């Protein structure tokens, strides 16, 4: 809620996924960063390159020029079942080159689509593949390979631009391997989540639908813990989020922007479009909680907030808010975002003209990678199931906050990490009102 924001520290939320580094034994032969860039730029298709960037940043998997059977299986296991029982177990010589058909077969299994393939009759497989220009020459449509290819085509796991690569014993091209890994991530819900891009004709409609169908997050068990933190003045605010909406964007290209007024979101996307910024957009529902003092008067009722009176007569207010996660096409555009906000969405005086609706004195946005003009602070996060609560603090305050969370519930998962926030909000954390 904007009206009380100057009286409480509003807890921001991180849409960051944990970066799990794959053990070296699971990966293709690693090469120097410059070699990876040269290889990627010259060989990988644009679609494969996007998946390759994600695999490198999130999982530490370098897409090299060639794969063995074992390396591809290990990469699939690292992606879909890190630290747990392997989904893919190979027989035979794992050091042999990976063929295109086996790559599709292994990816289908990792994507939990294998059983579907075996429902195909020989005729259904033949019909499914009749219009597909594969390099595969077999007419044995009753064979498992045919059923697997048909299922991969029908489910979209095998992308049409790679049909010609499916030749009987052909080695899997690097682009095909990267795209199959990416498609498995998508099927398992482990890839980027977003409504569309800022330049899509229907992006405002999708944002509106997302906002209207979002509700104040309840998460009663988690609330019970962090509400105690509020009552004990361990934190002055926190927010609740649902990890199922996390964008999972590349940290190096993304920024997360928080606000409470949806009209502001619509105008922000329009502002980025007017500045020729194309970026992926994810809507992440958020509920901010803080102490509402009794001397502020009757809090009233609204669809946008709930209040619960506590023992000392004050209230805890739970306000419906949101984060917009943006993944930009380049680091240059990511850096431009700060300048755009400071020019058109940061309030510097009362009734200031030339700003989008609902601009704040201290706009809220942050990056998980360092940026010029941004300041390093800490996020203190406690998780329970799919929900998490978190509160921002200055770095020197983080240890006491996380230790306090742990004392409130020793069984809870508590983490703390640093990231970079815009300058005005950093000033806000230091107690400045403008």
């Amino acid at each position: 809620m904007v009206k009380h924001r100057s009286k409480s520290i509003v807890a921001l939320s991180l849409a960051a996924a944990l970066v799990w580094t794959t053990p070296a034994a699971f990966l293709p032969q690693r090469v120097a960063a410059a070699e990876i860039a040269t290889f990627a730029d010259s060989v990988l298709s644009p679609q494969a390159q996007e998946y390759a960037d994600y695999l490198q940043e999130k999982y530490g998997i370098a897409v090299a020029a060639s794969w063995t059977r074992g390396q591809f299986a290990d990469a699939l296991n690292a992606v879909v079942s890190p630290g747990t029982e392997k989904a893919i177990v190979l027989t035979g010589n794992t050091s042999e080159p990976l063929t295109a058909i086996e790559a599709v077969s292994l990816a289908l299994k990792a994507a939990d689509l294998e059983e579907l393939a075996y429902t195909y009759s020989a005729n259904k497989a033949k019909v499914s593949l009749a219009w597909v220009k594969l390099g595969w020459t077999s007419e044995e449509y009753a064979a498992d390979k045919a059923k697997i290819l048909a299922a991969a085509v029908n489910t979209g796991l095998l992308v049409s631009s790679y049909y010609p690569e499916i030749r009987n014993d052909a080695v899997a091209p690097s682009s095909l391997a990267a795209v199959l890994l990416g498609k498995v991530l998508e099927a398992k819900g482990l890839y980027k989540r977003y409504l569309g891009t800022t330049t899509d004709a229907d992006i405002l409609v999708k944002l509106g639908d997302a906002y209207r169908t979002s509700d104040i997050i309840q998460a009663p068990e988690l609330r019970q813990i962090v509400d105690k933190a509020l009552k004990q003045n361990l934190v002055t605010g926190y927010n609740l989020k649902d990890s199922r909406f996390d964008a999972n964007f590349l940290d190096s290209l993304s920024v997360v922007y928080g606000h409470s007024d949806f009209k502001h979101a619509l105008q922000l996307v329009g502002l980025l479009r007017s500045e020729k910024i194309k970026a992926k957009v994810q809507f992440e529902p958020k509920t901010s909680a803080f102490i509402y003092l009794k001397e502020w008067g009757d809090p009233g009722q609204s669809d946008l907030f709930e209040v619960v009176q506590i023992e000392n007569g004050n209230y805890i207010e739970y306000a419906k808010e949101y984060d917009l996660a943006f993944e930009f096409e380049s680091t240059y555009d990511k850096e431009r975002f700060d300048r755009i906000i400071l020019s058109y969405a940061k309030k510097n005086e009362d009734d200031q003209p030339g700003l989008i609706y609902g601009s704040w004195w201290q706009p809220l946005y942050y990056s998980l990678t360092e940026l010029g003009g941004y300041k390093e602070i800490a996020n203190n996060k406690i998780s329970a199931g799919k929900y998490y609560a978190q509160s921002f603090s200055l770095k020197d305050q983080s240890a006491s906050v996380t230790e306090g969370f742990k004392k409130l519930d020793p069984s809870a998962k508590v983490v703390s990490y640093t990231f970079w926030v815009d300058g005005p909000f950093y000033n806000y954390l230091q107690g400045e009102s403008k």
Side-chain angles (χ1 to χ4, degrees), residues 148-276:
I148 286 167
L149 289 173
V153 166
N154 287 340
T155 58
L157 185 77
L158 180 56
V159 181
S160 60
S161 56
Y162 297 99
Y163 291 166
E165 308 294 348
I166 307 300
R167 300 185 296 277
N168 288 24
D169 295 313
V171 172
S174 193
S175 280
L176 173 62
V179 170
L180 287 172
L181 284 166
K183 289 296 181 181
V184 170
L185 283 169
E186 290 178 345
K188 301 288 285 186
L190 300 171
Y191 194 59
K192 303 172 187 179
R193 304 185 186 105
Y194 56 99
L195 299 178
T197 72
T198 53
T199 56
D200 289 346
D202 62 349
I203 189 60
L204 298 186
V205 175
K206 289 180 177 178
L207 279 172
D209 289 343
Y211 180 74
R212 283 187 292 272
T213 55
S214 66
D215 296 307
I216 293 173
I217 298 172
Q218 299 301 324
E221 293 181 6
L222 188 55
R223 265 195 190 182
Q224 185 176 12
I225 300 170
V226 283
D227 281 352
K228 288 180 181 177
L230 272 179
K231 294 175 184 178
Q232 295 175 13
N233 295 318
L234 178 63
V235 296
T236 55
Y238 68 84
N239 65 45
L240 290 170
K241 294 189 74 175
D242 185 332
S243 62
R244 294 171 295 181
F245 292 92
D246 288 353
N248 291 345
F249 287 157
L250 291 179
D251 299 341
S252 57
L253 292 176
S254 61
V255 165
V256 178
Y257 185 99
H259 207 278
S260 60
D261 194 301
F262 183 64
K263 185 175 176 179
H264 182 84
L266 297 177
Q267 294 196 14
L268 176 60
V269 171
L271 173 63
L272 295 180
R273 289 177 69 152
S274 72
E275 292 292 319
K276 311 302 181 188

Side-chain angles (χ1 to χ4, degrees), residues 1 27 61 102 120 201 254 361:
M1 295 214 17
L27 304 180
I61 297 176
E102 186 174 27
Y120 281 61
S254 61
W361 294 97

Side-chain angles (χ1 to χ4, degrees), residues 72 98-108 134-138 144-146 148-149 152 158 165-173 176 180:
F72 189 70
L98 175 72
T99 66
I101 289 180
E102 186 174 27
V104 174
S105 178
L106 294 175
L108 196 79
L134 298 176
W136 183 67
T137 58
S138 175
D144 286 349
K145 286 182 180 179
I148 286 167
L149 289 173
L158 180 56
E165 308 294 348
I166 307 300
R167 300 185 296 277
N168 288 24
D169 295 313
V171 172
L176 173 62
L180 287 172

Side-chain angles (χ1 to χ4, degrees), residues 42-111:
S42 62
V43 177
L44 295 183
S45 67
Q47 182 184 32
Q49 182 62 62
E50 184 167 2
Y51 287 131
D53 290 342
Y54 192 86
L55 291 164
Q56 179 70 61
E57 184 171 305
K58 297 291 188 180
Y59 295 93
I61 297 176
V63 175
S66 63
W67 296 75
T68 66
R69 297 176 67 236
Q71 288 168 341
F72 189 70
D74 287 339
L76 285 170
N77 284 325
V79 165
V80 303
S81 54
T84 62
E85 184 178 350
K86 293 182 178 180
I88 304 298
V89 179
L90 292 181
T91 59
N93 186 353
T94 59
S95 63
E96 290 179 349
L98 175 72
T99 66
I101 289 180
E102 186 174 27
V104 174
S105 178
L106 294 175
L108 196 79
K109 179 177 177 62

Side-chain angles (χ1 to χ4, degrees), residues 125-134 141 150 153-154 158 160 163:
K126 183 176 182 178
V127 171
S128 297
L129 296 176
W131 60 277
V132 178
K133 295 182 179 179
L134 298 176
Y141 291 102
V153 166
N154 287 340
L158 180 56
S160 60
Y163 291 166

